[in-house]
Amino acid sequence: MPFAQDHYPFDNQAIFQEHFPADFIVEYTGQLRGWFYYLHLLSVALFGAPAFKNVVVHGVMIGNDGRKMSKSFSNYPDPRPTIEKYGAEALRLDFMSSKIMRGEDTKISEPDIQEASRLIKILHHVLGYFVLYAPPGDRRPSSDFVPKSILDRWIVSRLQQTINLIDRGLTDFNFVAAAGAIRPFVEDLSTWYIRRNRDRFVKGEEEVVATMSFVLEKFALAIAPILPFSAEYIWRSLGSESSVHLADFPSVDEGAVTRSADLMTKMGVIRELASVSHQRRAEANLPLRQPLAKLFLSGCDWLNSELEWRDILIDEVNVKEVVFSSGPLDDIDESWTPVAGGALRLDTKLTSELLAEGRKRELIRLVQDARKKAGAQQGQLVDVSYFTTDKELASIVKESAVTLGRELNIRQFRAFDSAGELSEVATGFFISVRLLD
């Protein structure tokens, strides 16, 4: 290649001219003085030109004896158990992200393969969550899709950024950069976009479903060269009958990426404020399910007038309101935490009303977990039997039975006088879930 494969110059001269020089070749560092050198030498001698347009040199995979991994040395573990345990896709992603693709030597690392497998599972869980709420049949996005809400516009902008990074990486034959763009986006999609939109999915809002459809379709196209099996699975799950590998790579709207800079900056501030607030909660031993009265902010004045952004922060931090301080940063005391060019402070005082609301949210979590363990499907009606030695919790169940029933698809709550055969799901709280047809 590219000479011998066509028996050039004795045969196929026209065919040879069509694909010479080669677009791309790849081999390990040992071939710098071997194959790479002789290809270049022959081509310059014969044509006065290089034999290839692009070349990738990868490093050496080191065997368990410190030498180059080789069949003749038999110095490597059988790859089949690793592939069966983590999947070939995880092995591919690990290699594509590894320093070996930068020409450095490395060893097989099971923790790294395990981490790649974990990321792929998150991606598949994202798809599963979408399929759970999307209507059956053809789930592909409409051609006139336009995101409207802040979170929808943000995830589409993050998608454009990611496609751009993957495209540039593959165009430059920088496979580490291309593969490295996958993890941050999957984590943003899972731990921020979906988590912040759970209520919208449960309510069946068409806009959030349409946004996820658009994102998954474009993302499948972008990752197809790196994660071919996952890309195909996502693509087919959206309703396409042809292969993702027969479709074009998605184009990037550079203008849209530039125009979304302010959107991305503001979401970064919101997430930074939320992250520090969560840290302050943890230090005060206050779980996120426990509502708090106020979050005080000094700086970030733009939030005071942009209600949709402020609502995202309020919902994420789980406070009743955000109070803006008009004083200079120099006037704040040690109870404030510097963040995002300003500072914040959480009001950690708990009233009886806040405590009751926190306990209600914990109750919701316990019932939801019991539904899952009982095998209840999304939207399926159930009956809940319970017994508790906690009088306050019993009062919350009694007072909130109607609203909890609507929210959790529970036909009725039945109070028992003893635990009996009920399962203890929290100290002093026993529960049983019966599925209804």
Side-chain angles (χ1 to χ4, degrees):
M1 206 293 291
F3 310 106
Q5 67 179 14
D6 294 321
H7 200 220
Y8 181 85
F10 306 103
D11 296 302
N12 304 314
Q13 294 188 17
I15 293 175
F16 173 79
Q17 294 295 335
E18 289 177 1
H19 62 241
F20 182 86
D23 288 326
F24 162 71
I25 64 170
V26 56
E27 252 294 353
Y28 87 115
T29 50
Q31 294 295 349
L32 288 172
R33 57 183 176 81
W35 185 49
F36 292 151
Y37 171 72
Y38 287 111
L39 276 181
H40 189 62
L41 185 68
L42 282 170
S43 184
V44 170
L46 292 173
F47 308 107
F52 41 83
K53 299 176 184 177
N54 300 282
V55 57
V56 170
V57 184
H58 63 77
V60 175
M61 189 64 69
I62 303 299
N64 49 30
D65 60 356
R67 295 183 293 177
K68 180 182 75 171
M69 191 179 288
S70 172
K71 288 186 291 184
S72 60
F73 296 151
S74 298
N75 57 346
Y76 56 89
D78 188 343
R80 284 173 295 186
T82 300
I83 293 174
E84 290 171 359
K85 185 175 182 179
Y86 300 112
E89 198 93 310
L91 195 63
R92 179 185 294 104
L93 180 59
D94 177 50
F95 283 168
M96 292 283 280
S97 309
S98 169
K99 63 181 182 180
I100 197 172
M101 297 307 298
R102 292 195 179 105
E104 301 179 41
D105 298 346
T106 189
K107 292 182 178 180
I108 288 284
S109 170
E110 184 169 352
D112 289 347
I113 299 172
Q114 185 177 13
E115 183 60 24
S117 176
R118 186 190 72 83
L119 180 67
I120 293 170
K121 286 179 181 177
I122 292 175
L123 177 57
H124 285 249
H125 288 160
V126 165
L127 174 64
Y129 191 85
F130 166 74
V131 170
L132 181 64
Y133 293 103
D138 192 342
R139 303 186 179 98
R140 289 174 292 181
S142 62
S143 58
D144 59 350
F145 165 75
V146 177
K148 297 177 182 178
S149 77
I150 285 177
L151 283 165
D152 292 348
R153 288 189 289 116
W154 172 78
I155 195 61
V156 169
S157 296
R158 277 290 291 119
L159 173 69
Q160 290 288 338
Q161 284 184 338
T162 303
I163 293 174
N164 195 25
L165 290 172
I166 294 174
D167 186 26
R168 288 182 181 180
L170 295 177
T171 300
D172 296 339
F173 295 92
N174 186 346
F175 303 124
V176 176
I182 295 175
R183 177 181 301 278
F185 180 77
V186 171
E187 291 177 346
D188 280 351
L189 182 61
S190 172
T191 62
W192 187 252
Y193 180 76
I194 288 181
R195 191 167 60 81
R196 288 266 38 87
N197 284 294
R198 281 175 181 166
D199 290 344
R200 296 175 68 198
F201 278 106
V202 173
K203 293 175 183 176
E205 287 191 18
E206 291 183 3
E207 285 187 9
V208 72
V209 173
T211 301
M212 275 293 291
S213 174
F214 178 85
V215 168
L216 286 171
E217 182 186 72
K218 299 302 181 185
F219 191 58
L221 288 167
I223 64 173
I226 303 171
L227 297 175
F229 299 139
S230 294
E232 185 74 3
Y233 182 65
I234 294 171
W235 186 257
R236 298 278 183 165
S237 297
L238 294 177
S240 179
E241 296 182 357
S242 62
S243 173
V244 68
H245 303 291
L246 298 178
D248 292 334
F249 193 87
S251 59
V252 178
D253 186 345
E254 296 283 0
V257 173
T258 302
R259 291 191 298 271
S260 67
D262 182 62
L263 175 74
M264 306 306 293
T265 299
K266 287 181 177 178
M267 190 65 79
V269 171
I270 293 292
R271 297 182 72 178
E272 188 176 353
L273 291 171
S275 177
V276 173
S277 298
H278 294 336
Q279 292 174 18
R280 298 292 81 83
R281 272 183 171 273
E283 292 170 0
N285 198 27
L286 293 169
L288 186 56
R289 288 188 181 88
Q290 174 59 61
L292 299 177
K294 299 174 182 178
L295 170 66
F296 295 94
L297 281 183
S298 180
C300 303
D301 295 335
W302 58 272
L303 273 171
N304 199 8
S305 58
E306 302 198 31
L307 299 183
E308 191 174 356
W309 284 103
R310 196 168 67 200
D311 288 343
I312 293 173
L313 180 63
I314 287 174
D315 194 37
E316 173 63 20
V317 180
N318 193 13
V319 294
K320 297 301 181 181
E321 64 175 323
V322 174
V323 179
F324 293 87
S325 172
S326 57
L329 290 176
D330 295 340
D331 292 344
I332 64 177
D333 57 30
E334 64 276 1
S335 65
W336 292 73
T337 303
V339 57
L344 66 76
R345 178 171 66 86
L346 274 175
D347 180 1
T348 57
K349 296 177 183 178
L350 296 176
T351 64
S352 57
E353 292 81 6
L354 289 172
L355 285 169
E357 188 176 345
R359 296 212 67 188
K360 181 180 176 181
R361 292 194 178 197
E362 180 62 18
L363 172 64
I364 290 173
R365 184 190 68 82
L366 293 172
V367 174
Q368 286 176 329
D369 288 347
R371 281 180 56 95
K372 291 179 181 178
K373 289 181 180 179
Q377 300 299 312
Q378 183 69 30
Q380 183 176 5
L381 276 175
V382 300
D383 281 343
V384 173
S385 304
Y386 72 96
F387 166 75
T388 180
T389 57
D390 188 327
K391 294 182 180 180
E392 182 183 1
L393 188 59
S395 177
I396 292 173
V397 175
K398 185 176 181 180
E399 293 173 0
S400 308
V402 175
T403 56
L404 289 175
R406 286 197 297 264
E407 184 176 345
L408 303 175
N409 292 296
I410 297 170
R411 187 181 67 173
Q412 66 175 341
F413 283 93
R414 297 176 57 204
F416 278 37
D417 296 328
S418 62
E421 297 182 357
L422 305 180
S423 301
E424 187 171 24
V425 294
T427 303
F429 185 58
F430 302 80
I431 195 172
S432 175
V433 173
R434 184 171 70 90
L435 307 181
L436 301 175
D437 295 335

